[in-house]
Every structure is written in structure tokens, then in C-alpha cells.
């Protein structure tokens, strides 16, 4: 039986209807697969625990024509009497009381069974619970006999919870989204998807994370369920549904031009299609996503091609007015085997890429190349391949295109794309610069010259240092290119720790883009990069909640999963925030999401994802995973990617610390700080210096100097923390903990309190130490698998060997009497030992002791 999720309120309401003083029973009404039977299972279990005798019956198509057929299992064998109802009632009265009758699929009950249930409910012979489809055999609740509860599909959050509880492990976001889109919140469909996926190997766990591989295939029980819901279809109904399977969502007027209107009305009545209106546009969808999968799987190939040719012709006849129409026409023509012009393929490929549909853009580009149009789509194809994790193929393709007879302008456009791929895809800075030099020739239009300049600045911004790049980006250009310079400046300000100026540049950038209504600007840097930079600026400056909220909102509308910046950056940021809050396991899960799914063709932002994984694993004490992730990050890192590569240096210190060498960890943190300082990356320099302070190095002066140019709250808290540690001031550490807590950095707050408690004990202030430890314990209640040097206590060195033994046994959960028996001593002696231990460590009980000493 699958976990019970998302029906807690309904369960309580139904139990009240069945067991309350005025309750007679309840009817659970909803479409197939929404969990009516699963809820009934929970109700039955509750009823039996409260002393009810439960008799459960199952109505079927086979029993629907047999009098009392579905109820036969709970009735006497001899019902052939002149008064079968009286005989049945007599039998029920002999049952142990209180009695509950539960009937599944009551819409399939025969008339005699319905009549009997009427009598049972009216005479209060038993409490009755039924499950039923909507619109069928409604007498039981329409006549007021039963309280009706309508059950719908699960929400996305409930579906995700059910999925992870059923699999007993986390599921990556791409796979959970795929399964959500396939099941649309229907628990039965979700269950069958999981069962078939595991049986076929499509759904499997890799490194502790469940992931779906390949497309959803409808087979076995799942296919039968979907076919059962579709039912028998008239030819006109099947035609409409098959057309929708290859086109949804599709405009109502286009579909209506190809099928009879009455057929659409019938299908909508049966909930097999949905009609949605948005403004002046009305579209039609299938009633469930899996309907389309089944219809496509069962549609003969020639008929499928005919459907798609008809759709293409119908859309062309309406004038193809919408932006995405060329993409749809091109796709339908390709799949339908119709002739297609190179002009249409090239235009559709550009539209697909502008819409960030990497898969479709690649397909259309390849079709154009096969048709001899490499020169027409080379620019788009190169970008598609780069973002699609094929930088080597992108280089070969672009080099091939550029070897042909092209104009200087065309060569410069292609050269810019090729240079970007060489630098950000392959990490070859020299080759990238050489290509730019070769195409940057006199006589180019001003826009092209400026675009080549922007590409140079983009690469320089990754090489560093920050300051010269920032100065170079102030150059007059056409408005659509000036936006790119603003993005570069925002990145430089972010790296320099000038977070207010990040916001100012992003605000100006977004305002200019909106004013220009840019739809087809050069796509070397996806538009979602600006809000991502805002997320990082918020997090680094100490506004964690705002950063997380914006990142989660972006996750719903992020760039295609193949994007080298979107998914990686968002999940790395969320993992960073989770680490700051002390949520180690959650941080590790998010970091796994940020990692590349393949060991081949690492792109620039893969280093960020792998570094995030290394740091998160180290924080959780998983030294093996941390070391492996760090090694992969080092392998992915390229010399050209200097600024991005600093994330690896920052993670290295934590991997070393997790292995137990805090002194070496401090050295690694200082090396990372020096590396960042050389590049002008003061935001990361501040983090590295703070890490070094946490490892025992006095970095207070350098951090204090950074606060003169970085006026954000987080850097100020870093400096205060380092200064308090250097001056061994417990009261200042407690004040710093309050500052960190206000910012959401609960881990740092707990570390500051742990240090304060130790200093108070050293100075003989036991009461203050106890209070600081209590505050620390309170903060760490929500921590999850976090281990840092600052939270490891050296208090055991102040205890005797027997006190250490007693303390460890106490944290393992044994009572004082059990500890005494284990150590062959008296309970009074154990009591005295614990009293002394609490005094030495400045704690007030076992919970605080467990927090201070860590796991046994």
C-alpha cells in the first residue's frame, strides 16, 4: 500500500460523518484514480481501531446485474426467501456492533443493493461509506442519506511528497516534473508510472537520487487504465482526440475546421477534452496528458502522418499569425512527411531557439543541414549545440560553415558565436581570441563591431580582474547591445561585493529591455541571467529569504534543462542558502540537482555545481562524496575560467576540514581568499576569510578593511565574528549570533554561540556558558546532518575518563539506571557524574548535552 498523502482533512471529516452522534455515513465521489479507495482504506483502519466491525464489499460490472451481487459476501448464503431484505436485515442485526459497511465503486451497484443500503441508512442499522464516480447512482447522497465528499487530484506539492515517500528517497526536479506532467495529480496514474518505470529501468536511483531516463511509455496496467478511461470511441471522437494528441494545446477554430462540432461537444461533456479561454484565444487540450501518450502509441503511422499534414494545412490556411506558428507548421510538415522549404526550416529554427526550446531548435537545424542549408542555420545551430552540451560538435559545425564563401558580416556573426563556444564551452581562451581577431575586420557595420566588442568583454569578465573589465564596459553602444554591457557590469559589481550597484544595473537593464521589447536579441547570455544575479546579490548580502523566494519563483519558469547557467546556478544558490541555515541534508540534495548528469563535455558552470556538491557533502560529513565531487570539479575546471573556478577553491577548504585537518583547511581558505583578492572578487574573498576565521585564523583586519567598500550586513557580520574570535570576547560573539540569526544564517549563529559558551567556561562563567549553550541547542533543533569544526566541542578534555563514558552513554538514550547497570555502579553515582558533567560543559540537560557532544 502506498503512503497516505494529501487527504488528512478529508479523513477527519469522513470519520466525523461515520462516528459522530448524528452521522449516518459518507460518499467519496471523484474520477477514477484520485484516491477514493486509498482514503477508504485509511477510514477502515481507523474504524477498526475504534472498535467498529467493518464489512467491505466491492461492486463490479459483473455483479451489477445480480440482485445483492456486490453485497453477497456480507449476507447469509440463503437469500431466496419471500422477504430477502428482511432476511438481510436480520443477518446484519446479528453482527457485532457498532457496524460499518464500506462499498467500493457504488456506481456499479444493482438496484436491490441500493434499496438495501437505503434501508440500512434510514434505520441506522450501520454506518455506510461508499466510493463512486461522479454523475452515476447519485441516490445515496442526493437524497440526503450520505454526506458527499468530492475528491479531486493531488496538488503538485502533494504529488511530489507522495512520490518521494513511495520511493523512500529524493527525486530530481526534472523527473518529478515529468511524472507530475504525466500523472496530472492522479495518484493511481502516478503509482502505475512508478511501477512501470522501475520495472523497465526508466526510473532508477543514482547516487541516492531517483531519476527518470527516457520518455514515458504506456504499457501494461497503466495503458489498460488509460484505455479504460477513454472508453469506446466513435470514429469522429477518435479523430478529434488523435488530432489533439499531435497538436495540443491547439486553437479551437483550427480543430473545429477539421472535425465535427458535435464531436467536440460530446468529448467535453465526457471530460475527455478541456476548452480554455485566455483573452481572445480559446484553446483545446486533452482531458489528461496520458491520453495523448496512448493515442500516439496506438495511432497507425500513416494515419498519424495524415493528421499532421492536415494540421499544417489548416494552420497555414488561417494565416499563421502567432509567433510560434512557424515552429508548429515546420514540425507537423516534418512529421507528416510533407515537403518543407529551407526558408521555413531556418525561420522555425530561429523561433525555437528564441523560445528556448533546445530540443526542437536542434531538430529543425539538423533538418536544415540535411537539406543543404548549413549556412542558413549555422549561427543558431552553433549556439544550440553549445548549450546542448556538444561544444566539440559546435566547433566543428561552425568551423565548417566559416570555411565557405561568406560575407564579412556573416563571418563576424558566426565568429562571435564560435568564439563564445571556444571560450565558455571548451575553455580555449587563445583559440577564442584568435577567431575574434580573424573576423574583426575594417568595414563592418557598427552593430557588428560593437557585438564583437561585447563578446571580448564577456570573456574578459571571466578572466578577471574585475576592476579593468568594469571600466571597459562603460562604452556607448546601440541600446540592444548596451543591455549586455549592463549585465556584464552587474556581474562585476556582484563579484566586487557592491550589491546595491548590482540592483541598480539590473533595474536599468530590465527597464531598457522592456522599453525596447526585445524578442530577438543575441542569445549568448540568456535573459534569465539578470534575475539570477539578483538572487546571488540578495543571498551574499544577507537577504536569504528574499533570495530563496526569487530563486524558487524562477525555478518554475527557468530556461530549458540543458541550459548551462539556469538550473546549475539556481540550485547552487539554494544549496548555499540551505548550508547557511544549517540544513545540511537539504543542501546536499539541492547540490546534487545542480550537478551535471554526465561526466562528459563539462561546461563552465558545471564547476559551480560540482563545487557546491563538494561543500555540501563536506558539511554533512560525507567525506567520500566530498572528495569525489572536488576531484570532478578540479577536472571540469579550465584555466580560462578563472572567476568561476574560485568556487572550487572555496569548496576545497571544507573538504579538507571534513577529513579532520582543520589546520590545512585554514591554509586552503586563506589561499582561496588570496586568489579572490587578486581577481578583485571581494564577495568570495569575504566568504573565504570568514571560513578561515572559523578554522582558527585571525582574519579580522582583512575583513574589517573589506567593510569599507562592502556595506552589506553579511560582510559586517563576518567581520564582527572574526574580530570577536580574535579577541576571545564571548559577549561580542553572542551579539554576533543575534546578527547572523536576523539575516537567516543560523549555522553561523550557532557556531558563534558555541564559541561563546566555550570562552565563558574558560573564564569560569558557568551560568553564561549554560545560557549560550541553551541558545545554541535551540537553534540546532532544526539542523540536519551538519558538522563543522566550530560545533565540535573540546569539552571532553575537561572530563574524567569515567565522566566521558557516562556522557556518551547518556547521549545514546540510556536512562541513569541503565547506565548504572551497564557500568556496574549505583544510580546515585551516575546522577553525581551527570551533575558534574553538566557543570563542566555548561549545559542543563541531556538534549543540550547531545547537542554539545554530537552523535554518540
Amino acid at each position: 500500500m502506498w503512503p497516505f498523502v494529501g487527504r488528512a482533512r478529508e479523513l477527519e471529516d469522513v470519520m466525523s460523518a461515520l462516528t459522530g452522534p448524528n452521522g449516518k455515513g459518507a460518499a467519496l465521489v471523484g474520477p477514477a484514480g484520485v484516491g477514493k479507495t486509498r482514503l477508504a482504506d485509511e477510514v477502515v483502519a481507523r474504524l477498526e481501531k475504534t472498535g467498529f466491525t467493518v464489512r467491505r464489499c466491492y461492486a463490479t460490472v459483473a455483479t451489477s446485474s445480480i440482485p445483492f451481487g456486490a453485497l453477497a459476501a456480507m449476507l447469509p448464503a440463503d437469500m431466496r426467501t419471500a422477504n430477502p431484505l428482511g432476511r438481510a436485515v436480520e443477518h446484519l442485526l446479528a453482527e457485532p456492533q457498532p457496524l460499518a459497511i464500506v462499498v467500493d465503486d457504488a456506481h456499479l451497484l444493482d438496484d436491490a443493493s441500493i434499496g438495501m443500503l437505503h434501508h440500512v441508512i434510514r434505520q441506522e442499522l450501520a454506518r455506510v461509506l461508499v466510493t463512486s464516480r461522479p454523475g452515476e447512482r447519485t441516490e445515496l447522497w442526493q437524497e440526503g442519506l450520505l454526506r458527499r465528499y468530492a475528491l479531486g487530484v493531488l496538488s503538485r506539492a502533494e504529488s511530489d511528497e507522495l512520490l518521494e515517500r513511495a520511493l523512500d528517497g529524493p527525486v530530481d526536479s526534472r523527473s518529478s516534473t515529468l511524472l507530475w506532467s504525466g500523472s496530472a495529480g492522479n495518484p493511481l496514474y502516478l503509482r502505475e508510472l512508478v511501477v512501470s518505470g522501475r520495472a523497465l529501468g526508466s526510473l532508477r536511483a543514482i547516487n541516492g537520487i531517483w531519476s527518470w531516463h527516457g520518455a514515458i511509455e504506456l504499457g501494461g496496467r497503466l495503458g489498460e487504465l488509460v484505455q479504460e478511461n477513454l472508453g469506446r470511441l466513435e470514429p469522429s471522437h477518435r479523430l478529434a482526440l488523435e488530432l489533439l494528441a499531435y497538436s495540443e494545446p491547439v486553437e479551437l477554430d483550427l480543430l473545429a475546421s477539421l472535425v465535427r462540432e458535435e464531436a467536440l461537444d460530446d468529448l467535453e461533456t465526457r471530460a475527455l477534452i478541456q476548452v480554455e479561454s485566455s483573452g481572445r484565444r480559446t484553446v483545446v487540450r486533452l482531458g489528461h496528458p496520458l491520453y495523448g501518450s496512448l493515442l500516439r502509441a496506438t495511432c497507425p503511422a500513416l494515419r498519424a502522418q495524415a493528421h499532421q499534414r492536415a494540421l499544417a494545412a489548416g494552420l497555414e490556411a488561417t494565416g499563421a499569425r502567432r509567433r510560434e506558428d512557424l515552429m508548429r507548421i515546420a514540425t507537423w510538415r516534418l512529421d507528416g512527411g510533407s515537403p518543407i522549404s529551407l526558408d521555413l526550416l531556418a525561420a522555425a529554427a530561429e523561433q525555437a531557439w528564441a523560445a528556448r526550446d533546445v530540443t526542437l531548435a536542434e531538430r529543425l537545424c539538423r533538418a536544415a543541414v540535411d537539406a543543404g542549408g548549413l549556412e542558413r542555420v549555422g549561427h543558431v545551430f552553433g549556439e544550440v549545440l553549445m548549450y546542448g552540451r556538444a561544444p566539440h560538435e559546435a566547433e566543428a559545425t561552425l568551423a565548417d560553415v566559416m570555411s565557405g564563401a561568406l560575407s564579412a558580416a556573416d563571418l563576424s556573426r558566426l565568429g562571435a558565436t564560435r568564439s563564445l563556444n571556444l571560450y565558455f564551452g571548451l575553455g580555449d581562451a587563445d583559440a577564442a581570441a584568435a577567431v575574434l581577431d580573424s573576423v574583426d575586420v575594417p568595414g563592418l557595420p557598427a552593430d557588428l563591431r560593437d557585438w564583437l566588442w561585447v563578446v571580448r568583454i564577456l570573456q574578459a569578465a571571466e578572466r578577471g580582474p574585475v576592476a579593468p573589465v568594469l571600466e571597459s564596459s562603460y562604452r556607448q553602444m546601440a541600446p540592444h547591445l548596451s543591455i549586455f554591457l549592463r549585465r556584464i557590469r552587474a556581474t562585476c559589481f556582484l563579484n566586487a561585493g557592491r550589491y546595491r550597484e548590482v540592483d541598480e544595473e539590473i533595474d536599468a537593464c530590465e527597464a531598457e529591455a522592456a522599453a525596447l521589447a526585445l524578442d530577438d536579441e543575441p542569445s549568448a547570455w540568456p535573459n534569465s541571467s539578470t534575475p539570477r544575479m539578483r538572487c546571488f546579490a540578495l543571498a551574499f548580502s544577507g537577504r536569504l529569504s528574499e533570495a530563496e523566494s526569487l530563486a524558487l519563483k524562477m525555478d518554475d519558469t527557468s530556461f530549458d534543462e540543458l541550459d548551462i547557467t539556469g538550473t546549475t546556478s539556481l540550485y547552487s544558490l539554494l544549496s548555499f542558502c540551505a548550508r547557511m541555515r544549517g540544513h545540511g541534508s537539504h543542501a546536499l540534495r539541492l547540490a546534487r540537482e545542480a550537478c551535471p548528469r554526465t561526466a562528459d563535455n563539462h561546461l563552465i558552470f558545471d564547476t559551480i555545481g560540482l563545487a557546491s556538491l563538494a561543500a555540501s557533502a563536506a558539511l554533512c560529513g560525507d567525506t567520500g562524496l566530498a572528495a569525489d565531487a572536488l576531484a570532478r570539479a578540479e577536472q571540469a575546471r579550465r584555466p580560462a575560467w578563472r572567476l568561476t573556478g574560485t568556487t572550487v577553491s572555496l569548496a576545497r577548504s571544507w573538504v579538507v576540514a571534513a577529513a579532520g585537518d582543520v589546520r590545512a583547511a585554514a591554509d586552503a581558505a586563506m589561499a582561496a581568499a588570496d586568489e579572490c583578492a587578486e581577481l578583485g572578487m571581494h564577495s568570495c574573498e569575504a566568504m573565504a576569510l570568514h571560513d578561515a576565521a572559523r578554522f582558527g585564523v585571525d582574519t579580522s583586519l582583512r575583513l574589517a578593511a573589506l567593510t569599507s567598500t562592502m556595506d552589506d550586513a553579511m560582510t559586517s557580520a563576518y567581520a564582527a565574528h572574526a574580530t570577536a574570535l580574535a579577541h576571545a570576547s564571548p559577549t561580542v560573539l553572542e551579539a554576533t549570533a543575534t546578527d547572523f540569526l536576523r539575516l537567516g544564517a543560523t549555522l553561523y549563529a550557532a557556531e558563534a554561540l558555541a564559541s561563546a559558551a566555550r570562552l565563558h567556561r574558560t573564564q569560569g562563567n558557568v551560568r553564561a556558558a549554560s545560557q549560550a549553550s541553551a541558545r545554541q541547542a535551540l537553534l540546532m533543533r532544526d539542523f540536519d546532518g551538519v558538522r563543522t569544526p566550530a560545533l565540535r566541542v573540546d569539552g571532553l578534555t575537561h572530563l574524567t575518563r569515567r565522566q566521558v563514558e557516562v556522557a556518551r552513554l547518556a547521549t545514546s538514550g540510556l536512562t541513569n539506571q541503565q547506565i548504572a547497570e551497564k557500568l556496574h555502579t549505583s544510580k546515585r553515582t551516575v546522577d553525581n557524574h551527570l551533575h558534574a558533567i553538566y557543570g563542566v560543559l555548561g549545559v542543563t540537560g541531556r538534549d543540550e548535552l547531545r547537542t554539545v557532544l554530537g552523535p554518540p
Side-chain angles (χ1 to χ4, degrees), residues 410-429:
D410 288 339
L411 275 173
S412 68
R413 291 189 187 92
L414 289 165
T417 301
R418 185 180 175 189
S419 180
L420 287 166
N421 178 66
L422 283 165
Y423 194 95
F424 293 103
L426 297 174
D428 193 337

Side-chain angles (χ1 to χ4, degrees), residues 310-333:
L311 287 164
L315 184 55
E316 287 173 323
T318 65
R321 297 179 298 272
R322 299 183 62 82
R323 179 182 178 183
E324 66 270 17
D325 286 348
L326 290 183
M327 290 187 290
R328 295 197 291 170
I329 291 171
T331 303
W332 289 333
R333 283 193 168 277

Side-chain angles (χ1 to χ4, degrees), residues 353 365-366 369 373-388 390-407 409-426 431-432 435-436 438-439 451 455 459 523-524:
W353 181 235
C365 284
R366 292 192 184 279
V369 170
L374 180 58
E375 294 82 1
R376 297 287 304 276
V377 295
H379 170 71
V380 174
F381 197 23
E383 290 194 72
V384 169
L385 291 171
M386 177 176 70
Y387 282 94
H392 293 284
E393 186 180 357
E395 163 59 14
T397 298
L398 290 165
D400 187 17
V401 178
M402 292 180 67
S403 66
L406 299 174
S407 68
D410 288 339
L411 275 173
S412 68
R413 291 189 187 92
L414 289 165
T417 301
R418 185 180 175 189
S419 180
L420 287 166
N421 178 66
L422 283 165
Y423 194 95
F424 293 103
L426 297 174
V435 167
L436 282 180
S438 69
V439 299
W451 176 234
V455 172
Q459 296 173 15
S523 53

Side-chain angles (χ1 to χ4, degrees), residues 699-710 719:
T699 60
S700 57
L701 294 179
R702 282 185 64 174
L703 278 168
L706 285 177
T707 59
S708 63
T709 57
M710 300 171 62

